[in-house]
Amino acid sequence: MSNDLWRFSATELVQALRTKQVSSREVVQAHLARIENINADVNAITQVLSEEALAAADEADEAVAEGQDLSALHGLPITVKENIDVAGSVTSFGVVAYKDSVAKHDAPVVRHLKRAGAIVIGRTNMPDFGMRWHTDNALHGPTINPWDPVRTTGGSSGGEGAALASGMSPLGIGNDMGGSTRQPAINCGVAGLRPTTGRVSRVMSRIFDDPPLFYEQVACVNGPMARKVSDLRLALTVLEQPDPGDPIWTPAAAPPSPRGRVRRVGLVKDPSGEGLDPGVALALSKATTLLQEVGYTVEDIDPPMIEEAEETIQRLYETELGSYLDDLLPMVSPDAAGILTAIVAERPDAARYRDAIAARHRIAAAWSLLMQEFPLILGPVSTMEPFKVGYDRGGAEVMWRLIRSFRLTELCNLLGLPSVAVPVLLHDGVPQGVQLIGRRFDDLRCLEGAESIEQGFAISTPINPN
């Protein structure tokens, strides 16, 4: 293998480790060296766990030498977002107030990954409490998009997206409550999976004692990000292991295939109702062609209740976020405070909250019927290209345009649907991509479709930062 081990995908590295082509120490050292060489320019990695990682790599190599049975990710370096507990390191949520909050235990997803042989080499950057579509905070500062420093990495898993795209990590773990794995994946030219709600433990951190409110319970998931769709599939086999501490975790199988409609895809061209930016339109057209070339039937559809879904999410946000906004604002940066204030247009209202919960059920029923006809839905992650840094600070009108641009993406969270974001092409030097949405627990069908797109026209990563 090449000396540039940081260039290889997670699946390639796992195979090389299992066949003794390379040692875990060599792989870990290569990624630590890559971090040392470029992280100052990208600011994706917030904590480098060199000593612990190298010790774990030596243990992994000893297991290989002794002929022990090897787990799925044996000896593979990974990175973890800074709101997911990794024992012995800080879970800061991107907030100064939590800069000394050292996790005592691993989050369930981290525990699963370690048991499978993965080695955590670093923690990655995020916006304040993950509540922004751009990665910046007062504790660590901004993460730079390695493709174009003028464009956002996205959020809230922007540190993971940038680390993967630039070769500092072969596999990352983020989370998604409103596009937080998918938007940074697309912006950085990598792939991201939002698993079905309940398939992967949603427990992130024990730093907070308060239980999650309703929308966080149904919408927020932990999920993998990587440079290849095959790496997402590999990670999912590990992440989906049981977590008795998460009452939402579900040992569910994939739903039966709809007879005669297995490869039928519904195309949502303009979920915002305001048109697509040129790069997004090109990516959606290219993805449509690539799916058709391998035998999928792609048909334009008019998605049901998509505007009502946006209104429903907003009502839930207003009630839940509004109930603790006054406690939150003093802890976040001024930029984040302005954005949060713009999102919460009205303060908590019990009747609106009740009606939103009821509306969610009606929307879910309509989409369940739609997806009996179209097991896969193709559409944009955002109708906007990666925006210029600072755009989201433009006030309430700009924030609402952003929210509308993510209608289809946030609908997945509202309904708990799986979605895979995959890059398709470069436009003006910046990655553009799409997402494939599936029925609940039909995650593997999403991955299969996304892999067809990727194999037809893959963006070459990792890259050196521009």
Side-chain angles (χ1 to χ4, degrees):
M1 295 187 72
S2 166
N3 292 328
D4 295 334
L5 293 171
W6 52 269
R7 293 187 180 277
F8 290 83
S9 71
T11 304
E12 291 169 336
L13 289 171
V14 166
Q15 179 61 21
L17 287 161
R18 298 180 75 87
T19 55
K20 301 181 183 180
Q21 296 177 60
V22 66
S23 70
S24 179
R25 172 170 270 268
E26 288 173 322
V27 175
V28 168
Q29 282 181 324
H31 286 87
L32 291 175
R34 181 66 171 170
I35 293 170
E36 184 176 358
N37 288 338
I38 70 165
N39 191 51
D41 296 325
V42 180
N43 194 34
I45 310 288
T46 55
Q47 304 170 60
V48 183
L49 309 179
S50 304
E51 185 175 339
E52 302 95 320
L54 288 171
D58 289 340
E59 291 182 10
D61 290 335
E62 288 176 11
V64 173
E66 293 170 1
Q68 297 179 19
D69 292 336
L70 305 182
S71 299
L73 304 178
H74 188 87
L76 180 74
I78 65 169
T79 44
V80 179
K81 188 176 176 181
E82 221 177 60
N83 64 352
I84 303 173
D85 284 348
V86 176
S89 69
V90 172
T91 301
S92 77
F93 310 95
V95 176
V96 173
Y98 290 92
K99 65 181 178 62
D100 298 318
S101 298
V102 177
K104 296 180 180 179
H105 307 284
D106 291 324
V109 288
V110 174
R111 187 167 63 246
H112 294 334
L113 290 162
K114 286 184 175 179
R115 286 177 177 171
I119 297 171
V120 181
I121 61 171
R123 309 295 303 278
T124 52
N125 204 14
M126 59 181 289
D128 310 61
F129 291 117
M131 295 182 175
R132 190 176 174 187
W133 283 304
H134 173 63
T135 297
D136 191 2
N137 57 66
L139 178 60
H140 299 302
T143 294
I144 309 303
N145 191 323
W147 293 92
D148 183 351
V150 173
R151 303 282 187 147
T152 181
T153 57
S156 62
S157 307
E160 284 296 346
L164 291 161
S166 57
M168 290 188 277
S169 172
L171 178 67
I173 306 303
N175 29 60
D176 192 317
M177 187 170 166
S180 288
T181 57
R182 289 164 289 163
Q183 185 229 7
I186 293 302
N187 288 9
C188 295
V190 300
L193 168 65
R194 184 229 181 268
T196 300
T197 298
R199 184 164 191 147
V200 173
S201 172
R202 62 156 306 282
V203 177
M204 294 181 288
S205 176
R206 299 296 185 188
I207 302 294
F208 290 124
D209 293 329
D210 294 335
L213 298 178
F214 171 77
Y215 190 63
E216 188 177 350
Q217 291 179 38
V218 301
C220 190
V221 296
N222 293 312
M225 299 171 67
R227 290 192 291 273
K228 298 293 183 183
V229 175
S230 58
D231 296 342
L232 300 181
R233 185 183 292 107
L234 174 64
L236 183 61
T237 63
V238 174
L239 293 169
E240 66 184 359
Q241 299 305 307
D243 174 22
D246 177 12
I248 296 173
W249 183 85
T250 306
S257 294
R259 185 175 298 175
R261 303 185 181 95
V262 174
R263 296 175 75 80
R264 197 177 183 194
V265 179
L267 173 60
V268 180
K269 282 186 175 178
D270 184 15
S272 74
E274 298 173 348
L276 304 179
D277 283 358
V280 180
L282 287 171
L284 201 56
S285 175
K286 182 66 176 179
T288 298
T289 299
L290 292 170
L291 288 172
Q292 290 171 333
E293 287 176 349
V294 294
Y296 287 89
T297 300
V298 184
E299 304 173 40
D300 288 358
I301 62 169
D302 185 15
M305 305 179 75
I306 195 163
E307 290 185 31
E308 185 172 351
E310 180 194 316
E311 294 168 0
T312 299
I313 293 167
Q314 181 60 24
R315 289 173 185 168
L316 295 170
Y317 267 144
E318 285 172 353
T319 305
E320 297 188 356
L321 180 57
S323 69
Y324 56 83
L325 185 63
D326 289 340
D327 295 327
L328 201 64
L329 290 177
M331 290 191 284
V332 301
S333 65
D335 286 345
I339 290 167
L340 292 175
T341 303
I343 291 174
V344 182
E346 298 184 30
R347 286 309 176 100
D349 183 291
R352 285 166 61 85
Y353 191 53
R354 175 202 63 204
D355 292 345
I357 293 172
R360 177 186 178 272
H361 187 83
R362 291 195 301 274
I363 298 163
W367 274 76
S368 181
L369 290 172
L370 170 71
M371 298 186 82
Q372 281 299 107
E373 297 294 321
F374 298 95
L376 286 176
I377 305 295
L378 172 66
V381 173
S382 170
T383 58
M384 299 171 61
E385 297 175 13
F387 57 79
K388 290 186 177 180
V389 174
Y391 174 83
D392 62 334
R393 300 197 306 267
E397 184 176 340
V398 164
M399 182 52 58
W400 284 111
R401 184 179 178 228
L402 268 177
I403 289 171
R404 289 192 297 272
S405 82
F406 287 103
R407 270 183 183 169
L408 185 61
T409 293
E410 290 205 300
L411 179 137
C412 297
N413 297 78
L414 178 69
L415 306 185
L417 302 176
S419 173
V420 179
V422 59
V424 178
L425 50 78
L426 295 178
H427 176 68
D428 291 339
V430 178
Q432 310 288 340
V434 298
Q435 63 178 324
L436 275 173
I437 303 162
R439 299 171 300 165
R440 295 180 68 244
F441 297 102
D442 215 0
D443 306 53
L444 296 182
R445 189 186 304 277
C446 296
L447 290 165
E448 180 183 2
E451 200 161 32
S452 295
I453 295 172
E454 175 189 75
Q455 290 173 349
F457 195 87
I459 289 178
S460 181
T461 52
I463 63 166
N464 290 316
N466 286 328

